[in-house]
Amino acid sequence: MNTFILALDAGTTSSRAILFDQKGNSIATAQHEFPQYFPKESWVEHDANEIWETQLKAIKEVIASANITPEQIHAIGITNQRETTVLWDRKTGKPVHRAIVWQDRRTAYLCDALRNKDKAEVFQQKTGLLLDAYFSGTKIQWILDQNPELRTAAEAGTLAFGTVDSWLIWNLTKGEQHVTDVTNASRTLLFNIHDLCWDDALLELLDVPKSLLPKVVASSEIIGNTHASILGREIPISGIAGDQQAALFGQMCIQPGDVKNTYGTGCFCIMNTGETAVTSKNKMLTTIGYQIDGKVTYALEGSIFIAGALVQWLRDQMGIIKTAPEIEALAATVSDNGGVTFIPALSGLGAPYWDPEATGSIMGITRGTEKGHIARAALEAIAMRTREIVIEMQKDAGVTFRSLKVDGGASNNNLLMQIQADLLQAEVIRPQTTETTALGAAFFAGLATGYWPSVASLSEIWQINKKFTPQTNNNTSQIIEHWEKRITKNLSQ
Ligand code: ADP
């Protein structure tokens, strides 16, 4: 009887379920979107029940569509949107508040207040994070501050907090397990990434009762079984990781210096830094990459807000392309950027500039500038921003960079990937399976149950779709020279 690993990819806009076979091929997928709620400007919420319902529907559908029985599911791995905060009643299992999504900015003032009390450093030292509304800690604090009844209940120990992984596992095990893994815990502002425990001093600073918190487990470990009533039989849950960390592992970035970059609306870049939790001098985040067999691997994370969004802007606001993939053919109508530089600061500039007031521009235009030059300069801008992040990460980590593993929608653009290889002077490697997030969750789950015997065996099944080898040409040095001169003109001061 063939068996499979079921990966649950609980994303920001949809719940997905994917079955992987022993070769790491995805054999069936099911997906259901759920509503996004925007009750006020900069607030973003989910209904945790809708997350669970869509996830369960996707699980049942993928089993049916692959025409398999629950007996053929060897184990379950979970990967999830990180930081999103769910609070529920331990007795009824019902959420007591809408989930506050990672994108939600409502708690920025709480972060400012902590910064004003000079607490940024202690948070960075212990959690590797910057004080930002993004992370779960201030979201929990906000919910309890808003509702005294909830605070009383939290103090009495009748409420549970969890990120989406914890919430799904609570439901899959019918309340038997209240756990999260180290990667998700490392995004809460409450978890000491060096001592690997919830930190009492940070809990006090954020006024969060400890009784709310889940038990923290490894990314690859059998944490329990699904309740028999869910799928007709108990199935081990044995892999958990936040989405970017799951992608790091799904890309087999398992050596210090290995980096993956996801080219979506923005870019998410993560570098494996091995056993060292590197403190960044450039406001990158230090985070836990994964924990296997008791051993923790750390990572550095840098994000770029605008990447594929630049392509969307050219499509939707400028109308020079009709679909995002068309940018490749348009950029290929010219052999170089014709002297044009696109500074993509459409919503400020992140690392290493950290200038939220910076604005974008298209520079170096002449009478001869064509649409193709602008398209090409836009692709170069995505690659240049990635280059800047990768270079800063290398400096922070002091490790040698070998190659860049890529995924995400825009990684399908061959020209962009070649430009990236040229600008990094490193190989850019695109895998066969672009479902790297789900694959990482499946890998964690299958390792813990012996479906795959070792990490080495995973490296063997991991397949490359295309390798982009760097080429040297004057063009590359000119792109960099123009960029460095011109970007300074776009900074707000
Ligand atoms: P997200 O998960 O952030 O929604 P995806 O991984 O689905 O992102 O990728 C979509 C993004 O990638 C969009 O911003 C789109 O403009 C861009 N994109 C998709 N295909 C291409 C392409 N072939 N070339 C360049 N950009 C692309």
Side-chain angles (χ1 to χ4, degrees), residues 44 112 119 158 172 176 229 291 310 327 384 411 434 475:
V44 189
D112 289 342
K119 298 299 178 194
T158 62
L172 285 166
E176 228 164 72
S229 64
Q291 185 182 22
L310 204 55
I327 195 166
M384 276 304 295
S411 74
T434 47
N475 206 356

Side-chain angles (χ1 to χ4, degrees), residues 262-266 307-313 315 324-328 379 382 407-414 416:
T262 301
Y263 298 79
T265 309
L310 204 55
V311 179
Q312 288 169 13
W313 182 79
R315 182 193 63 194
E326 271 177 33
I327 195 166
E328 185 168 357
L379 297 183
I382 297 171
D407 52 43
S411 74
N412 292 313
N413 186 318
N414 287 332
L416 170 61

Side-chain angles (χ1 to χ4, degrees), residues 38 127 142 297 346 419 471:
F38 307 103
T127 69
W142 187 92
T297 295
L346 304 192
I419 292 171
Q471 288 154 14

